[in-house]
Amino acid sequence: MNSKEIRSQFLNFFKEKNHKIVASAPMVIKDDPTLLFTNAGMNQFKEYFLGNSVPKSSRVSDTQKCLRVSGKHNDLEEVGKDTYHHTMFEMLGNWSFGDYFKKEAIEWAWELLTDVLKVDKDSLYVSVFEGSSDADNLEMDMEAYNLWKAIVPEDRIIKGNKKDNFWEMGEQGPCGPCSEIHVDIRSAEEKAKVSGASLVNEDHPQVVEIWNLVFMQYNRKASGQLEPLPAKHVDTGMGFERLCMVLQNVKSNYDTDVFTPIIREIETITNSKYGKNEETDIAIRVIADHIRAVSFSIADGQLPSNTGAGYVIRRILRRAVRYGFTFLETKEPFMYRLVGVLNNIMGDAYPELKEQYQLIENVIKEEEHSFLKTLDQGLVLLDTIISNTKGKEVNGAKAFELYDTYGFPIDLTALILSEKGFSLDEAGFEKAMQEQKNRSKSASETSKEDWTILVNDQEQEFIGYDRLEADVKLVKFRKITSKKDGQQYQLVFNLTPFYAEGGGQVGDKGYLEASNGDVIYIIDTKRENNEIVHFSKNLPKKLEEVLKAVVDKKQRQRTEANHTATHLLHQALREVLGTHVEQKGSAVHSKYLRFDFSHFAKVTTEELREVEDFVNARIEGKLELQENKSVPMKQAIEEGAMALFGEKYGDAVRTIRFGKSIELCGGTHVKNTADIWHFKIKSEGAVASGIRRIEAITFDGVKEFYFENNRTLFEIKDVLNNAKDPVKAVVALQEENSSYKKQIAELLKDKAKNLKGDLLGSLEEINGVQFLAKKVDLDAAGIKDLSFEMGQNKDNLFLLFGTEQKGKALLSCYISKELAASKNLNAGTIVRELGKFIQGGGGGQPFFATAGGKNPAGIEEALSKAKEYIS
Ligand code: ATP
Ligand code: MG
């Protein structure tokens, strides 16, 4: 059975059991402060388990793109080394939200595996939770045990501990005991020698877990305590690639049709062979795995970058490039050439891949290029570190700097060092690493108390599309503390006019007013687990009373003007540049808007002008907002709304229309485009290969911009003695300036000539060498000219000049070519060694080289050492 059939068999089975089949949520998570990437099928349903919202169906099934590279579930370091953990994998799942429980979950899992998919019953083992005697003091899951006992012989039921049989998504949240299904795919002889039961959960590559049935019945509170959930749920997850391995009768996920085409392509591109040597096999598996993770992230809108989720993606890509570089000798970008095969295998199931194929290729190629450059630079820096090392052990802090500042991988450092007969001070490296982790951890860590609930089961309502003020009641609140923001409260109300950050638009600010006139400021609004959470520095005195909630109107108006302008900009770009333009991200603030989009060239000044005109024409056209709060998704798309991949949309969507611009959008907008007043582009540039960014302003932002510009102009006129025509005045100044520059250059030349004469006179002859080491007052270019001119006048020259320019030190060494050759002297080596005295480094050719450093005080000492090289 091929992988496509396996995927659809799974979904069909649960469809027949009355499950609604839903789409995979994005793998990259936006608008959730607690998670960067989807790490399990249940993530997108978290709010249902917590009881924050009610699902449309109580039985759901899907296949979910997961990524386990950060946080509680991180398999990155295993990937490639073993044959059954991936960074990105598909998780097949079925769910019950307060509907069926353990009995059906267990019986159906067994039916699907053994009846439908025909997995050999004798190769399966199951596990149940044995209970725990720790603080949670949980009993053994007898219910599951008895259900399994009716299906499988008792010696195939394994009692598992908390680590393996109690599932938790994170430090807090829904959790419960689980039953896993393991499969033993070893040969009959091996099975006869060692029992499968003894290998379950022992990291054996051929006795692996394939399916986990989680019975959600608790909520883990901040205090660490468990409380029973109001309703009980089922959450199951089966590794798709592992299931394919079992059904296709192979011994590794990488030997299934999910991976073999990628591996064949890697073999071709890198001229290598899979299955010949463990080291290259690992490298090939790493690459085959990571190309999926990176491609799918980019398809979900997450480009590699320097922070957050983008940084994680960059590191995954670099890990693959580095394995290629080290073990397959790839010195050119090659990963991007795998996107095509990946698209062939998975593009049908995941159209986001197909649609963005070209972009994904470009981004990966560009990333590879710049990382390979980093590797080259890193190799040079590492050489310098080695040459400055006394003894045979390289300082760990230095290696860490190379890793941290230049992104040079530490395992590569270690490998190169050992090749050159050096070792790495690993403890020092670890220490530097830990120190940095502590620094960034304490800055970002937030501790959250449990919610204090004032009103139970209160559904909340957002009324901020139409109103900016409302009487509200507090439903629950909690205290959170972080180093960055100090102590804050999170408040949830029965209804609210405050817009929560989302869809690129910032959260509202504003205040609450109590009956006695007390004011509490709302400093931000965010969505967490589908609740609108307001942030404040303090709590209302009377928690139960009605409060007046007021949104900061000015900020909201400015934000709305920017949001509507973003839609018009999107329309304008597709009109002016073409329909290949797709939104890749946006940030709508009160002061400016930012819009990222796909386009493969710089947007020209004329095009930008056209885009501005297009948007401003729509502002002048006074287009009315046409808002439709609930349209079926299908209809919206037919009407021309753009569906964005990487966004999670329910079945009914909200559409925002201004004239011909129509978008799916949950944000807030002006009532009429005239409210935008004016639209002005401030900058255009590249964010990644094939992705451009425009920043623009509207409304009051434009007014402020003109006001500022005007003021600057007045100030310029003022310093130009109230010149009537400031441009003319500046041009005159420039001309004057360039004639002065010429004169100065002439004077300097004369000075150098004189200097040259003086210096030629003060050459000292040592062992047949014309020697001079001296501090001079010339810049680098001046010294170079001087040295070469002296070289024309005299043979057998050895010159070392030092100079101090703008607080920095410079050394420059010139050796006549014949002299360098006959006495085996090397200016490059000499300046590198003398560079120590000025705390710097450098290099060059055997006959001319320079070194820069930060310690001018060391110049004299360096000069005084020069003689040693020739005597
Ligand atoms: P393991 O112990 O093998 O790491 P797990 O306990 O972390 O598995 P779960 O969190 O229960 O796994 O996830 C459910 C299922 O997803 C597993 O039974 C397995 O089939 C699959 N799975 C988990 N992690 C990975 C991974 N990194 N790559 C591929 N499949 C995985
Ligand atoms: Mg795991």
Side-chain angles (χ1 to χ4, degrees):
M1 212 183 304
N2 71 31
S3 55
K4 282 183 190 158
E5 288 159 354
I6 295 172
R7 198 186 280 118
S8 63
Q9 288 249 10
F10 178 90
L11 296 175
N12 278 339
F13 178 83
F14 283 103
K15 197 167 168 189
E16 277 166 18
K17 306 269 187 231
N18 293 322
H19 286 62
K20 183 175 159 59
I21 309 301
V22 300
S24 172
M27 189 172 79
V28 181
I29 298 182
K30 293 176 189 139
D31 305 334
D32 185 340
T34 60
L35 216 54
L36 290 179
F37 302 104
T38 296
N39 63 23
M42 59 81 68
N43 296 162
Q44 67 163 320
F45 307 119
K46 202 166 62 161
E47 63 202 59
Y48 304 146
F49 295 127
L50 289 168
N52 291 347
S53 9
V54 183
K56 285 196 207 75
S57 341
S58 60
R59 296 178 180 190
V60 167
S61 175
D62 71 2
T63 170
Q64 171 67 49
K65 307 177 269 187
C66 295
L67 189 63
R68 292 196 169 180
V69 289
S70 59
K72 192 173 173 83
H73 293 281
N74 186 347
D75 292 333
L76 184 63
E77 287 312 316
E78 299 324 309
V79 172
K81 293 180 189 142
D82 74 19
T83 49
Y84 59 105
H85 279 98
H86 303 296
T87 55
M88 185 221 150
F89 64 99
E90 285 181 72
M91 199 187 277
L92 302 163
N94 59 293
W95 284 270
S96 150
F97 306 118
D99 189 333
Y100 61 84
F101 203 44
K102 295 181 191 176
K103 181 171 162 54
E104 292 84 345
I106 287 176
E107 288 174 357
W108 288 342
W110 192 256
E111 182 188 338
L112 174 64
L113 284 178
T114 59
D115 271 6
V116 181
L117 299 173
K118 307 282 183 231
V119 177
D120 175 13
K121 286 188 180 106
D122 294 336
S123 70
L124 295 174
Y125 293 87
V126 301
S127 67
V128 296
F129 180 46
E130 66 182 6
S132 76
S133 52
D134 58 1
D136 291 333
N137 194 20
L138 293 160
E139 285 177 10
M140 171 164 164
D141 189 355
M142 282 312 293
E143 191 184 351
Y145 190 84
N146 288 326
L147 286 163
W148 280 120
K149 209 168 72 176
I151 305 177
V152 296
E154 255 178 290
D155 62 358
R156 296 193 161 260
I157 310 177
I158 290 158
K159 292 176 192 155
N161 60 19
K162 210 166 169 187
K163 178 177 127 309
D164 293 318
N165 283 82
F166 194 85
W167 204 89
E168 307 202 37
M169 179 189 68
E171 299 309 325
Q172 272 161 267
C175 54
C178 61
S179 253
E180 300 163 337
I181 302 177
H182 296 259
V183 60
D184 181 356
I185 53 170
R186 292 173 306 152
S187 65
E189 300 87 73
E190 283 170 292
K191 283 181 182 174
K193 269 187 246 155
V194 183
S195 86
S198 70
L199 296 175
V200 166
N201 277 331
E202 295 296 333
D203 297 330
H204 191 290
Q206 280 157 31
V207 184
V208 296
E209 174 190 331
I210 50 169
W211 204 347
N212 194 355
L213 317 176
V214 182
F215 311 118
M216 296 282 186
Q217 51 193 94
Y218 303 104
N219 179 33
R220 170 83 64 194
K221 304 209 295 177
S223 60
Q225 271 174 331
L226 293 176
E227 69 183 1
L229 284 176
K232 304 208 184 326
H233 317 280
V234 170
D235 153 25
T236 88
M238 171 149 62
F240 172 64
E241 299 76 5
R242 292 187 193 177
L243 180 63
C244 291
M245 163 177 83
V246 176
L247 297 178
Q248 295 177 2
N249 276 320
V250 289
K251 303 275 182 245
S252 151
N253 287 7
Y254 295 90
D255 293 336
T256 65
D257 65 342
V258 182
F259 282 99
T260 43
I262 306 180
I263 291 183
R264 293 294 91 80
E265 191 72 14
I266 298 173
E267 290 179 325
T268 312
I269 294 176
T270 62
N271 198 11
S272 57
K273 193 90 198 99
Y274 186 61
K276 282 259 173 318
N277 159 305
E278 183 61 7
E279 236 169 29
T280 48
D281 283 358
I282 291 177
I284 291 173
R285 288 197 289 265
V286 164
I287 293 163
D289 175 277
H290 291 7
I291 189 65
R292 299 180 357 130
V294 175
S295 300
F296 273 88
S297 300
I298 299 172
D300 267 2
Q302 183 58 63
L303 300 177
S305 74
N306 255 341
T307 52
Y311 189 53
V312 177
I313 300 307
R314 173 166 286 170
R315 298 243 318 262
I316 297 175
L317 180 65
R318 289 181 167 190
R319 186 169 184 262
V321 172
R322 182 180 107 211
Y323 268 94
F325 185 87
T326 318
F327 300 109
L328 305 176
E329 291 172 29
T330 49
K331 303 291 177 250
E332 294 290 319
F334 69 98
M335 295 276 295
Y336 77 98
R337 291 166 64 190
L338 301 170
V339 180
V341 238
L342 179 62
N343 186 26
N344 291 343
I345 311 171
M346 301 189 79
D348 287 336
Y350 296 96
E352 61 269 39
L353 204 61
K354 202 176 252 176
E355 301 265 334
Q356 302 181 77
Y357 164 73
Q358 191 61 49
L359 173 83
I360 297 170
E361 234 185 40
N362 282 318
V363 170
I364 293 182
K365 187 174 179 186
E366 175 87 13
E367 275 287 311
E368 285 190 85
H369 249 305
S370 73
F371 183 52
L372 286 169
K373 235 195 279 163
T374 307
L375 283 181
D376 278 345
Q377 285 164 352
L379 292 173
V380 174
L381 288 168
L382 188 56
D383 266 347
T384 319
I385 294 179
I386 291 174
S387 67
N388 287 336
T389 297
K390 295 190 191 87
K392 285 282 161 199
E393 190 183 67
V394 166
N395 182 296
K398 278 261 174 339
F400 180 75
E401 194 184 315
L402 195 60
Y403 161 80
D404 191 43
T405 337
Y406 303 98
F408 196 76
I410 187 63
D411 47 0
L412 200 56
T413 303
L415 189 77
I416 293 170
L417 290 183
S418 77
E419 279 170 8
K420 302 201 170 189
F422 283 79
S423 66
L424 172 68
D425 155 29
E426 279 178 28
F429 177 83
E430 282 305 323
K431 188 164 156 261
M433 175 85 127
Q434 202 51 47
E435 279 166 8
Q436 205 232 32
K437 271 199 186 139
N438 292 343
R439 276 195 301 275
S440 55
K441 195 166 170 197
S442 55
S444 66
E445 217 168 58
T446 313
S447 73
K448 297 176 174 174
E449 288 185 358
D450 285 319
W451 291 103
T452 302
I453 297 179
L454 302 172
V455 188
N456 268 312
D457 294 331
Q458 173 71 57
E459 288 252 1
Q460 309 140 43
E461 195 188 347
F462 173 60
I463 54 160
Y465 289 134
D466 310 302
R467 291 167 55 188
L468 295 182
E469 278 187 33
D471 287 341
V472 304
K473 286 195 76 174
L474 195 57
V475 170
K476 60 181 187 175
F477 67 89
R478 69 174 167 187
K479 190 155 86 183
I480 61 171
T481 318
S482 72
K483 192 148 196 178
K484 186 164 148 271
D485 299 316
Q487 184 176 307
Q488 293 187 332
Y489 289 93
Q490 294 187 318
L491 315 172
V492 174
F493 302 107
N494 58 338
L495 53 91
T496 180
F498 282 78
Y499 179 79
E501 179 183 318
Q505 180 178 335
V506 290
D508 277 334
K509 293 188 168 73
Y511 64 90
L512 303 167
E513 194 181 315
S515 61
N516 66 355
D518 276 1
V519 163
I520 290 143
Y521 289 99
I522 300 296
I523 47 188
D524 202 358
T525 313
K526 289 191 168 145
R527 201 172 268 280
E528 267 187 46
N529 300 324
N530 209 25
E531 291 187 306
I532 300 175
V533 180
H534 307 72
F535 291 73
S536 69
K537 278 285 172 197
N538 33 38
L539 280 178
K541 284 208 183 72
K542 293 187 199 155
L543 294 170
E544 319 278 341
E545 79 167 0
V546 172
L547 301 158
K548 191 164 111 184
V550 184
V551 173
D552 179 338
K553 194 170 159 199
K554 193 76 211 174
Q555 181 195 309
R556 171 70 94 76
Q557 275 179 338
R558 294 180 66 147
T559 309
E560 286 178 344
N562 281 335
H563 201 156
T564 304
T566 306
H567 287 200
L568 298 177
L569 170 61
H570 188 190
Q571 188 196 2
L573 288 168
R574 289 173 66 88
E575 197 72 33
V576 175
L577 303 178
T579 49
H580 62 279
V581 166
E582 267 183 32
Q583 174 166 356
K584 284 290 156 226
S586 72
V588 179
H589 291 261
S590 62
K591 297 224 159 101
Y592 68 97
L593 66 95
R594 199 172 72 203
F595 189 75
D596 296 346
F597 56 99
S598 45
H599 180 58
F600 294 106
K602 178 158 180 59
V603 188
T604 65
T605 318
E606 296 79 59
E607 286 166 338
L608 287 176
R609 186 63 197 264
E610 256 184 83
V611 168
E612 254 179 20
D613 288 349
F614 184 97
V615 174
N616 282 318
R618 265 123 210 103
I619 293 171
E620 282 151 29
K622 299 190 170 52
L623 305 172
E624 290 280 343
L625 160 69
Q626 290 168 274
E627 173 197 15
N628 196 334
K629 284 191 180 155
S630 176
V631 204
M633 174 79 146
K634 199 159 161 270
Q635 184 189 331
I637 303 284
E638 279 161 12
E639 286 174 16
M642 299 260 306
L644 294 178
F645 290 116
E647 301 287 332
K648 174 177 153 194
Y649 288 112
D651 289 339
V653 293
R654 176 171 179 259
T655 59
I656 294 294
R657 191 195 284 269
F658 288 95
K660 290 209 173 78
S661 150
I662 168 166
E663 300 215 15
L664 304 182
C665 178
T668 69
H669 288 272
V670 298
K671 297 281 176 272
N672 187 300
T673 55
D675 299 339
I676 302 173
W677 195 72
H678 193 75
F679 170 79
K680 174 112 201 64
I681 293 176
K682 299 238 3 216
S683 68
E684 191 275 343
V687 249
S689 155
I691 309 254
R692 312 293 304 179
R693 168 172 293 174
I694 282 183
E695 289 192 329
I697 48 177
T698 65
F699 188 48
D700 279 8
V702 177
K703 295 180 191 171
E704 282 157 16
F705 174 72
Y706 285 144
F707 180 79
E708 274 300 314
N709 275 358
N710 215 26
R711 199 170 67 185
T712 313
L713 183 61
F714 273 103
E715 280 172 11
I716 290 175
K717 279 187 181 171
D718 208 37
V719 292
L720 293 169
N721 291 329
N722 270 327
K724 277 224 179 58
D725 186 341
V727 178
K728 214 165 149 190
V730 171
V731 171
L733 278 179
Q734 281 174 334
E735 278 167 3
E736 205 176 359
N737 193 24
S738 82
S739 106
Y740 286 151
K741 267 194 190 145
K742 265 188 212 134
Q743 290 179 33
I744 291 173
E746 291 294 320
L747 289 172
L748 284 178
K749 241 190 210 154
D750 283 349
K751 187 177 154 194
K753 222 183 248 164
N754 291 338
L755 184 64
K756 188 177 91 181
D758 291 350
L759 294 178
L760 282 171
S762 56
L763 287 171
E764 193 180 337
E765 185 170 330
I766 307 170
N767 297 335
V769 176
Q770 299 293 331
F771 174 82
L772 179 67
K774 197 170 166 56
K775 193 167 171 186
V776 290
D777 184 20
L778 286 175
D779 64 3
I783 292 183
K784 187 172 178 190
D785 287 347
L786 176 69
S787 308
F788 282 80
E789 279 183 30
M790 288 176 71
Q792 306 230 307
N793 289 319
K794 274 265 190 270
D795 292 333
N796 286 333
L797 262 190
F798 182 109
L799 301 174
L800 183 74
F801 289 125
T803 185
E804 176 178 350
Q805 300 282 318
K806 295 182 188 141
K808 297 248 162 66
L810 179 83
L811 293 176
S812 164
C813 179
Y814 176 94
I815 305 173
S816 302
K817 275 192 182 152
E818 307 72 42
L819 181 64
S822 66
K823 296 227 164 175
N824 200 16
L825 290 169
N826 186 327
T829 319
I830 293 172
V831 292
R832 213 169 296 137
E833 286 173 9
L834 296 177
K836 278 196 296 242
F837 298 105
I838 56 167
Q839 288 176 23
Q845 286 155 294
F847 64 94
F848 184 73
T850 57
K854 53 188 178 202
N855 177 32
I859 293 177
E860 290 299 347
E861 197 173 355
L863 293 173
S864 72
K865 297 274 186 245
K867 236 178 231 172
E868 292 172 11
Y869 288 98
I870 50 165
S871 46

